[in-house]
Amino acid sequence: MSDNDQFQEDRLSVNERLAAEALIVDVDGFEGPLDVLLMLSRTQKVDLRKVSVLQLARQYLIFVEKAKTLRIELAADYLVMAAWLAFLKSRLLLPPDPGEEGPSGEELAAHLAFQLERLQAMRDVAARLMGRDQLGRDFFSRGQREDVTRLRRVTYSATLLDLMQGYARIRTRDEFRPFVMDRDNVFTMEQALERMRPLIGFAGSWTDITSYLPDGWDSDPVRRRSATAATFAASLELVKEGHLEIRQSELFAPIQLRKRTVRT
Amino acid sequence: MTDDRETTQSETLFEAPPMAEQERMAEAVLFASAEPVSVRDLEARMPHGSDAAEALVHLRKRYEGRGVRVVKVGDAWAFRTAPDLGYLMQKETVETRKLSRAAIETLAIIAYHQPCTRAEIEEIRGVSVSRGTIDQLLEMEWIRFGRRKMTPGRPVTFVVTPQFLDHFGLETARDLPGLKELRAAGLLENRPPPGPLGLAEEEDEDDEVIEGQSELFED
Amino acid sequence: MTDDRETTQSETLFEAPPMAEQERMAEAVLFASAEPVSVRDLEARMPHGSDAAEALVHLRKRYEGRGVRVVKVGDAWAFRTAPDLGYLMQKETVETRKLSRAAIETLAIIAYHQPCTRAEIEEIRGVSVSRGTIDQLLEMEWIRFGRRKMTPGRPVTFVVTPQFLDHFGLETARDLPGLKELRAAGLLENRPPPGPLGLAEEEDEDDEVIEGQSELFED
């Protein structure tokens, strides 16, 4: 084994040996066997397309052996690659066996050369890419954003069916109800207005609003409530029209009404 | 200080860039910086011998009438969108919501009974109509004010609008199906009659009642 | 689509603003936003009947040689400062996270081979790709998931994003430096390792062989 090593090392140039040693020192710095092979291939100082894969295989095997002797932990990948390259080396060295299946040593070598070339190409373009002018370093976007103000608009939708069902809901409810009876207990604002208009002319001084309730509407609570509300609403309407003044001294105190006197 | 001045003096020997170039520089710096840039800061960034103030004058002139302008903010300068184009910076997001039951019923009543006063709507629905509901329908332009009724108080009436008809694919409000047709179409549920005073209406939320009261004051 | 066009047609009856005005609008919108604005978005903001694409052509011309330029990023447009003035902007420079060599190579491989599976990246680099590397690139929004490959296992693919293009000042991925040369040299082909004896090939799924075969016919 050591003989063999010796033999091979002698055939390497000083540069190659230095390179191989340098590699061993920081094997951790490599990104796997392909990376190592790419580095080794550079020592051949030829176009990657013309790289001698046989020579490369030898270089790599030396590298692995060295690492072993220096007791450097090598990942399994490195050893798998070493085994494969040893196999490739034998294929390249021996005359092809016509009875053997599988690709020839040359095909395998060509593919390895292709992989190395491709990896190198990717590294080159990666460097070119990073060398480009970059946003935020060489050219800049607008520093001060004028943010778009978002206006939220809500649209409501309803279908004809919603509409008809809504209407039907109300009307059917009414159909089953003694509607006329209801009116008996409802005093509308219109009625209240009608009642109050002729009365307010006489309200020279503050009068309690309850005194305007129609007769017969103050005993039943339901009727009283309706009449009070309608009368109150009517009063407000009259205030708005300028015929009436209204006041309430404090919360829940009686509401009082008075005819508005036109001052000049 | 005097030393500084001398240095500057000697450095201006490396001639300042032409004004057109200085203008470009001012343009780029103003564009990229997050805050308005003072003349002093600008000059500090530009090559020695540059006249930032003059560059800004040129720049300002160049952007006159453009979509963006060079404006003075305090004692600093910045690019700002031309005010007449401010509306382009607004983005509307439209959200579609289902109309509330109260609004649908109110709308239905107006459509079937127009012209129709608020009191009439309330009478038919059995509950007070909140101002919000009417406002919403007005705003949607599905209803509008009709003529005032010739009754006490001369209450306003509501009618449906062409937009309403358009939305519901109707030619006129008279095209709305009648009750009989609704029933024939199976759209009427045959519900048992509610209590004598229509207590079912209580389900309309309290807030409507409250609103109803406040409405009295608004009217 | 045709419907869209028709709508636009009919709406152009409300005359579009003159081109000079459209240019101002495009200028304002582009100026205001830090991110590139797509022609579609721009048009959506401009009045009906506007031709954002044409306005942009005019705008780009107007800013030629200025301190800021109109650049195209994918199908979107943005204002960017002229690269030769970068040195004035030191203050604005954002500390960018330093990318590892693995990340840079992975990014380049994705950019030049996209859509590209993880297995392909690993085959090219000869080592496994750490999750962190992909995550970092995804997080920076320089890559995103592309369509799954129609090969056994339907592996996910990665493609570069508009942000990537924007960052490196590329209009499209076709403008990547050296792309043509690489393609001419056959270095972007997914060449299968010969026979079953390849090295790292055991882990490579059958799909690559299938692809490889189809490629043979293309060659």
Side-chain angles (χ1 to χ4, degrees):
Chain A
M1 198 58 170
S2 57
D3 274 353
N4 192 24
D5 266 350
Q6 202 58 48
F7 168 64
Q8 286 195 334
E9 258 183 58
D10 280 348
R11 290 179 51 182
L12 295 172
S13 70
V14 177
N15 276 347
E16 282 167 335
R17 262 183 287 135
L18 285 176
E21 277 161 26
L23 295 177
I24 291 160
V25 174
D26 55 9
V27 66
D28 286 342
F30 284 98
E31 289 205 78
L34 206 56
D35 193 19
V36 170
L37 281 167
L38 188 58
M39 170 55 106
L40 290 171
S41 69
R42 280 201 207 106
T43 63
Q44 294 187 17
K45 294 203 171 74
V46 288
D47 185 333
L48 271 177
R49 264 165 285 189
K50 293 172 193 142
V51 78
S52 161
V53 172
L54 185 60
Q55 196 186 335
L56 196 58
R58 282 182 188 136
Q59 284 173 287
Y60 185 84
L61 291 171
I62 292 165
F63 158 78
V64 170
E65 284 309 316
K66 276 266 186 182
K68 274 184 184 168
T69 56
L70 290 172
R71 298 181 181 278
I72 289 172
E73 284 287 327
L74 279 183
D77 304 0
Y78 287 86
L79 303 178
V80 170
M81 177 62 91
W84 186 80
L85 283 173
F87 163 79
L88 176 61
K89 197 176 80 173
S90 68
R91 278 237 161 164
L92 288 171
L93 289 174
L94 296 171
D97 178 356
E100 202 165 74
E101 295 279 305
S104 68
E106 277 72 25
E107 279 168 343
L108 294 174
H111 187 70
L112 179 60
F114 167 74
Q115 282 182 295
L116 292 173
E117 195 191 348
R118 185 173 59 180
L119 180 58
Q120 186 56 53
M122 281 300 114
R123 290 191 173 164
D124 292 344
V125 292
R128 282 176 74 179
L129 191 63
M130 298 315 281
R132 283 183 72 86
D133 290 330
Q134 291 182 37
L135 179 66
R137 191 188 75 183
D138 307 292
F139 62 95
F140 297 83
S141 63
R142 179 84 157 110
Q144 195 167 32
R145 299 161 189 230
E146 289 171 57
D147 277 327
V148 170
T149 39
R150 289 188 186 277
L151 300 180
R152 216 184 49 151
R153 196 162 58 99
V154 179
T155 63
Y156 290 91
S157 73
T159 64
L160 190 56
L161 192 68
D162 293 331
L163 193 71
M164 293 185 310
Q165 280 174 334
Y167 186 66
R169 198 159 54 221
I170 304 161
R171 295 317 297 204
T172 47
R173 190 171 62 204
D174 291 346
E175 262 184 14
F176 292 106
R177 236 168 50 174
F179 191 61
V180 190
M181 296 277 286
D182 280 353
R183 294 299 299 259
D184 277 353
N185 290 326
V186 174
F187 194 65
T188 66
M189 189 181 97
E190 279 82 356
Q191 285 172 304
L193 270 173
E194 227 170 308
R195 180 177 159 72
M196 288 179 79
R197 275 189 202 282
L199 295 178
I200 51 165
F202 305 100
S205 55
W206 291 108
T207 322
D208 197 306
I209 196 169
T210 50
S211 62
Y212 290 90
L213 294 191
D215 297 330
W217 286 77
D218 46 1
S219 47
D220 183 308
V222 173
R223 296 184 65 140
R224 190 175 64 231
R225 196 166 61 187
S226 174
T228 308
T231 305
F232 180 62
S235 319
L236 291 177
E237 181 64 33
L238 290 168
V239 169
K240 205 163 85 178
E241 288 175 10
H243 301 306
L244 208 61
E245 287 179 315
I246 191 166
R247 77 174 187 191
Q248 185 178 30
S249 56
E250 60 179 293
L251 207 61
F252 302 119
I255 296 170
Q256 296 176 310
L257 305 174
R258 186 172 69 177
K259 182 176 83 170
R260 182 164 176 210
T261 46
V262 185
R263 295 182 194 99
T264 44
Chain B
M1 260 312 188
T2 36
D3 276 344
D4 258 20
R5 194 143 291 277
E6 270 165 36
T7 322
T8 315
Q9 286 292 22
S10 70
E11 269 168 335
T12 50
L13 293 178
F14 305 97
E15 252 168 87
M19 188 42 70
E21 192 58 19
Q22 292 186 35
E23 194 194 319
R24 279 184 81 225
M25 292 173 179
E27 186 176 35
V29 172
L30 247 54
F31 173 83
S33 63
E35 251 118 62
V37 184
S38 69
V39 175
R40 193 200 176 101
D41 280 353
L42 188 54
E43 205 149 66
R45 292 218 220 165
M46 290 164 70
H48 278 292
S50 297
D51 184 343
E54 198 191 330
L56 282 167
V57 169
H58 288 290
L59 193 64
R60 186 178 209 181
K61 196 154 196 120
R62 180 179 294 270
Y63 278 91
E64 259 168 29
R66 305 291 319 147
V68 291
R69 308 181 311 166
V70 179
V71 298
K72 199 169 182 197
V73 184
D75 62 347
W77 296 80
F79 276 112
R80 289 279 185 270
T81 312
D84 65 312
L85 297 178
Y87 69 96
L88 292 172
M89 307 303 150
Q90 297 177 338
K91 208 172 200 175
E92 271 196 5
T93 48
V94 179
E95 232 177 79
T96 308
R97 282 193 216 154
K98 205 96 179 124
L99 209 55
S100 71
R101 179 175 155 175
I104 285 179
E105 289 183 6
T106 304
L107 182 64
I109 292 166
I110 295 170
Y112 279 91
H113 293 263
Q114 64 172 349
C116 182
T117 66
R118 179 194 288 252
E120 284 162 352
I121 298 167
E122 294 184 345
E123 197 184 304
I124 295 171
R125 278 195 75 216
V127 281
S128 63
V129 176
S130 81
R131 165 153 226 120
T133 303
I134 296 280
D135 283 350
Q136 184 186 13
L137 294 172
L138 284 169
E139 205 178 286
M140 291 172 78
E141 300 190 311
W142 279 358
I143 64 169
R144 62 175 178 79
F145 292 108
R147 294 175 167 218
R148 283 179 181 275
K149 270 235 162 122
M150 286 312 188
T151 53
R154 307 208 359 118
V156 295
T157 63
F158 300 100
V159 295
V160 293
T161 61
Q163 286 93 321
F164 165 88
L165 297 175
D166 195 33
H167 182 92
F168 291 96
L170 298 165
E171 248 174 62
T172 73
R174 281 186 297 278
D175 291 345
L176 282 166
L179 278 184
K180 269 184 206 152
E181 292 162 278
L182 290 179
R183 185 169 289 129
L187 289 168
L188 293 194
E189 311 145 44
N190 256 339
R191 292 196 307 176
L197 281 171
L199 289 174
E201 282 65 67
E202 239 104 302
E203 75 197 32
D204 273 311
E205 306 85 303
D206 292 341
D207 59 337
E208 285 193 341
V209 178
I210 292 161
E211 268 177 52
Q213 284 177 345
S214 69
E215 270 175 356
L216 293 176
F217 295 98
E218 281 162 23
D219 284 344
Chain C
M1 263 316 196
T2 35
D3 278 345
D4 259 18
R5 196 141 290 276
E6 270 166 36
T7 322
T8 314
Q9 287 291 26
S10 69
E11 270 165 335
T12 50
L13 293 178
F14 305 95
E15 249 170 89
M19 189 41 72
E21 192 58 19
Q22 292 187 35
E23 196 194 317
R24 281 186 78 226
M25 292 174 179
E27 185 178 36
V29 173
L30 249 54
F31 234 94
S33 91
E35 269 79 55
V37 181
S38 73
V39 175
R40 194 199 175 101
D41 280 354
L42 189 54
E43 210 146 89
R45 290 217 225 162
M46 290 164 69
H48 277 293
S50 297
D51 185 343
E54 198 191 329
L56 285 165
V57 169
H58 290 291
L59 194 64
R60 184 179 220 177
K61 197 153 197 123
R62 179 180 296 271
Y63 278 90
E64 262 168 25
R66 307 282 324 140
V68 292
R69 309 182 305 169
V70 178
V71 300
K72 192 174 182 212
V73 182
D75 62 348
W77 297 76
F79 271 108
R80 296 288 180 251
T81 61
D84 67 308
L85 299 176
Y87 68 96
L88 293 171
M89 245 67 69
Q90 244 78 53
K91 265 191 176 171
E92 266 65 50
T93 312
V94 242
E95 234 356 272
T96 40
R97 191 139 52 117
K98 195 126 176 77
L99 281 182
S100 67
R101 185 174 132 187
I104 292 171
E105 280 181 29
T106 303
L107 178 65
I109 290 167
I110 293 169
Y112 285 83
H113 287 82
Q114 63 173 345
C116 183
T117 66
R118 179 190 285 257
E120 284 162 355
I121 299 166
E122 295 186 340
E123 202 213 312
I124 293 170
R125 297 197 64 231
V127 279
S128 61
V129 178
S130 80
R131 163 135 238 131
T133 302
I134 296 280
D135 284 351
Q136 188 186 11
L137 294 173
L138 284 170
E139 204 179 285
M140 293 174 82
E141 299 191 307
W142 281 1
I143 64 169
R144 62 173 178 82
F145 292 106
R147 293 176 167 217
R148 284 177 181 278
K149 271 238 159 119
M150 285 311 196
T151 52
R154 310 207 56 203
V156 294
T157 63
F158 299 101
V159 294
V160 291
T161 61
Q163 286 92 325
F164 165 87
L165 298 177
D166 191 19
H167 186 91
F168 291 100
L170 297 162
E171 252 184 53
T172 74
R174 284 187 297 278
D175 298 330
L176 284 164
L179 186 73
K180 266 187 209 143
E181 294 91 307
L182 288 181
R183 188 171 287 139
L187 290 168
L188 299 182
E189 290 160 25
N190 196 347
R191 204 180 287 178
L197 287 166
L199 50 149
E201 286 64 62
E202 260 108 303
E203 70 202 35
D204 280 322
E205 301 87 295
D206 299 337
D207 58 316
E208 269 161 321
V209 179
I210 291 164
E211 254 179 57
Q213 282 173 345
S214 71
E215 268 180 356
L216 289 179
F217 291 105
E218 282 162 24
D219 286 346

